Amino acid sequence: MQELHDAPLAPLTTFRLGGPAARLVTATTDAEVVAAVRAADDSGTPLLVIGGGSNLVIGDKGFDGTALRIATTGFELRGTTLELAAGEVWTDAVARTVEAGLAGIECLAGIPGSAGATPIQNVGAYGQEVSSTVTEVVAYDRRSGETVTLANDECAFSYRHSRFKADPERYVVLRVRFGLEDAGGLSAPVRYAEAARALGAEPGDRVPLADAREAVLKLRAGKGMVLDPEDHDTWSAGSFFTNPILTDEQFAAFHARVRERLGDAAEPPAYPAGDGRTKTSAAWLIDRAGFAKGYGSGAARISTKHTLALTNRGGATTEELLELAREVVAGVREAFGVTLVNEPVTVGVSL
């Protein structure tokens, strides 16, 4: 295990923001991960777990405790069953499943971060979510001091949420197991209209796996959602806000505000979300509230490619980023009565 003191954390995040950690430990095996967590818990030291750093907003003062960087490796494919170590690079793992001719996560290509983070956030994009393929999550339970295996139905998956996100101080993910599909080299049914259009297909069609992956990568790149060190639009956490899910009553009030602001013919995006709820688009709300692509005057600005991404144009501070986020939240709330919720995890700061 590598150990550093007063270690910069900004280079470990896709935002490239945040102050140093009092202590940074890099673990390359599950045993090292567990040992580091136990040592922190036994000594009462605050612990910050870092994977790919793609979903973190760390305060400018840094982290006064132990930051544990999970750098474990392991990709094991047995038939249609895939097991990934938590530290595996997610987008590389997706590419390998496509090469193996297995469907189920091909539309999650290009998502930055590590495999261990995917069940925590219930990562999803272009009509797929990991909750539909995750069979088991192996994690260290800090409460019991044991390594446990949780089946899919024990993970309490919902939109961008899970048991792990609901109780972030309890579990440290070690391994994730997936059940994929052998569809003869074809993808899972394409469920997202934008992806279907890019593929020249209809929703519900299956297409060659490689085509599905390439189409998603092109769509993501066009929105600045594929990491590129030279492109400041990718110095972000991807989508900074989740798409709001509203009750029927909330949606009716929102709909009225939309027509009042934009005219009687205006119709906001609306997608059934089950149990009398409707999901709408955070990007649409941000844009219609007056925050265009590239909005901002400092080093923290909205992406020039996608209104849902807040970015570091180089030299920004975390506080500058949060000031922009707060401005967007307040503007959307004033315009439409909807409060946006940040998707990235904040460390030492809050909106």
Side-chain angles (χ1 to χ4, degrees), residues 217-338:
L217 287 173
K218 287 180 182 178
L219 288 169
R220 290 185 65 85
K223 299 173 183 178
M225 298 291 185
V226 176
L227 293 181
D228 179 353
E230 303 302 316
D231 182 359
H232 283 281
D233 278 327
T234 74
W235 290 31
S236 74
S239 299
F240 196 87
F241 301 103
T242 57
N243 290 321
I245 296 179
L246 308 175
T247 64
D248 286 345
E249 183 179 356
Q250 290 170 332
F251 188 81
F254 162 58
H255 195 217
R257 293 281 287 270
V258 168
R259 292 193 166 185
E260 178 183 338
R261 182 181 178 89
L262 303 177
D264 290 342
E267 290 292 338
Y271 311 97
D275 299 324
R277 300 184 302 166
T278 300
K279 180 167 67 176
T280 192
S281 166
W284 187 93
L285 287 165
I286 293 167
D287 183 68
R288 300 309 190 280
F291 301 98
K293 296 173 184 176
Y295 178 88
S297 58
R301 302 186 189 185
I302 291 176
S303 166
T304 66
K305 298 182 179 72
H306 199 302
T307 53
L308 199 48
L310 307 188
T311 67
N312 171 12
R313 311 312 295 185
T317 64
T318 300
E319 187 54 36
E320 287 173 328
L321 177 81
L322 294 176
E323 287 175 2
L324 175 61
R326 293 179 189 120
E327 183 182 358
V328 171
V329 170
V332 168
R333 185 189 298 120
E334 180 180 357
F336 299 113
V338 175

Side-chain angles (χ1 to χ4, degrees), residues 68-240:
L68 169 60
R69 178 172 172 260
I70 297 181
T72 53
T73 57
F75 178 103
E76 185 176 356
L77 201 53
R78 300 182 300 277
T80 57
T81 299
L82 171 67
E83 179 176 295
L84 296 177
E88 281 288 329
V89 176
W90 173 252
T91 194
D92 293 348
V94 172
R96 292 177 69 177
T97 65
V98 169
E99 289 170 3
L102 297 177
I105 57 175
E106 62 279 358
C107 289
L108 304 180
I111 293 177
S114 62
T118 60
I120 297 172
Q121 190 73 8
N122 186 18
V123 165
Y126 296 101
Q128 290 183 345
E129 287 184 331
V130 293
S131 57
S132 65
T133 53
V134 168
T135 57
E136 293 179 326
V137 176
V138 179
Y140 176 67
D141 185 343
R142 298 169 68 184
R143 187 176 300 170
S144 68
E146 298 177 346
T147 297
V148 298
T149 300
L150 301 173
N152 180 289
D153 61 1
E154 296 177 288
C155 295
F157 288 124
S158 60
Y159 173 64
R160 302 298 173 270
H161 202 68
S162 69
R163 178 177 184 170
F164 313 105
K165 189 173 182 179
D167 196 357
E169 301 299 318
R170 179 168 181 179
Y171 297 102
V172 177
V173 174
L174 301 174
R175 296 188 168 265
V176 189
R177 295 175 182 140
F178 302 83
L180 304 178
E181 178 188 8
D182 184 349
L186 297 180
S187 69
V190 178
R191 304 197 183 283
Y192 200 76
E194 185 183 17
R197 287 194 297 271
L199 287 159
E202 295 294 327
D205 287 352
R206 292 179 183 266
V207 300
L209 275 165
D211 291 355
R213 175 177 173 271
E214 286 302 318
V216 165
L217 287 173
K218 287 180 182 178
L219 288 169
R220 290 185 65 85
K223 299 173 183 178
M225 298 291 185
V226 176
L227 293 181
D228 179 353
E230 303 302 316
D231 182 359
H232 283 281
D233 278 327
T234 74
W235 290 31
S236 74
S239 299
F240 196 87

